[in-house]
Amino acid sequence: MNWLGKFLRTCSKSLKSALIWGSPEHRNRSVLKYMRISSTARPRRRGLLRDLEQVLTVFHHRAAWGLAFFMGCVSAQGLPEKPDVERGQAIATQVCAACHGVDGNAVIGAYPKLAGQHAAYLYKQLANYKTANGAPKPLRSNPIMAGFAAALSEQDAKNVSAYFAAQKPTPGFAHDPEKVALGQKIWRAGLAEKGVPACAACHGPAGAGIPNQYPRLAGQIQAYTIDQMNAFQQGTRHNNTSMPMIAARLSATEIQAVADYIAGLR
């Protein structure tokens, strides 16, 4: 039976490798490594790096979607299999509606659209507004949201996240025709000369994101996206590994362009 044990050990190692390869942490490490290499590479080698990035992007997406399918019924980030959506709706109506809208479709740039966002991502953001035990400050700094998040129990945070995730997002629109081409370039291909990877590599070609890994961005309000990119740049938002470095390499014009392009994605 030695051959059977060897076979099972091999399968186990392959599965473990696949799980790690498809994880957000591994993807973030890959993005950061690409950014470091591409920023110092000779011009003649950058074309090869771009080709390699495209191949890795396709592989990462397939690995991630395969992992999502394999673990389909398993909820990430501790989300319950059957959250109380009605309870979540009650909280949204009484607490969240004034800024985000009853159905999560905010119309003011200071507040993000929440409708259709992945529940695990929303839950994580609520947790990040709280100061973790032993931490000097929260990973996301917002006095208003810190107060609301602190008032929610862990279960209610899951309930309201599930409610907003189930809502239908309203479409957004790009407003600056002169910046559409630049925004599209950054979204689809990145800026190799600055070591900025394509946004679509993580958030998907249409901005739908990947459940439990990367947030949905399609249709998000321009002003909110710009605010968050500035927060990553200025170090007031710390809950992502790769975004601070990516944001730091983009100019104000480039951020405005990609934020406008994102608003028109659907």
Side-chain angles (χ1 to χ4, degrees), residues 134-153:
K137 57 184 178 180
L139 295 174
R140 290 194 69 170
S141 178
N142 184 299
I144 296 175
M145 280 306 304
F148 287 132
L152 290 174
S153 67

Side-chain angles (χ1 to χ4, degrees), residues 3 22 55 61 89 94-95 135 148 162 171 173 178 196 199 224 230 264:
W3 65 270
V55 172
H61 273 300
Q89 182 178 16
Q94 297 169 10
V95 180
F148 287 132
F173 303 92
E178 295 182 359
V196 175
C199 308
Y224 178 77
N230 289 337

Side-chain angles (χ1 to χ4, degrees), residues 10-24 26 59-60 62-68 70-71 213:
T10 301
C11 289
S12 177
K13 290 179 181 179
S14 298
L15 178 58
K16 181 179 179 182
S17 176
L19 292 174
I20 295 174
W21 184 255
S23 70
H26 189 283
F59 186 86
H60 282 188
R62 291 184 177 180
W65 284 112
L67 178 60
F70 176 76
M71 303 184 69
Q213 297 194 51

Side-chain angles (χ1 to χ4, degrees), residues 236-256:
T236 56
R237 181 173 175 178
H238 312 275
N239 65 339
N240 185 278
T241 305
S242 56
M243 282 306 302
M245 190 178 296
I246 293 172
R249 296 182 178 186
L250 293 172
S251 68
T253 298
E254 290 163 347
I255 288 175
Q256 292 169 4

Side-chain angles (χ1 to χ4, degrees), residues 194-232:
K194 289 188 171 185
V196 175
C199 308
C202 293
H203 298 283
I210 298 179
N212 306 325
Q213 297 194 51
Y214 306 109
R216 171 189 171 89
L217 297 183
Q220 189 57 266
I221 301 171
Q222 291 95 324
Y224 178 77
T225 301
I226 292 171
D227 285 347
Q228 296 312 300
M229 293 296 286
N230 289 337
F232 281 125

Side-chain angles (χ1 to χ4, degrees), residues 4 11 59 85-86 100 110 148 167 184 209 240 264:
L4 179 58
C11 289
F59 186 86
V85 177
E86 291 186 0
H100 299 285
F148 287 132
Q167 305 311 300
Q184 184 183 71
N240 185 278

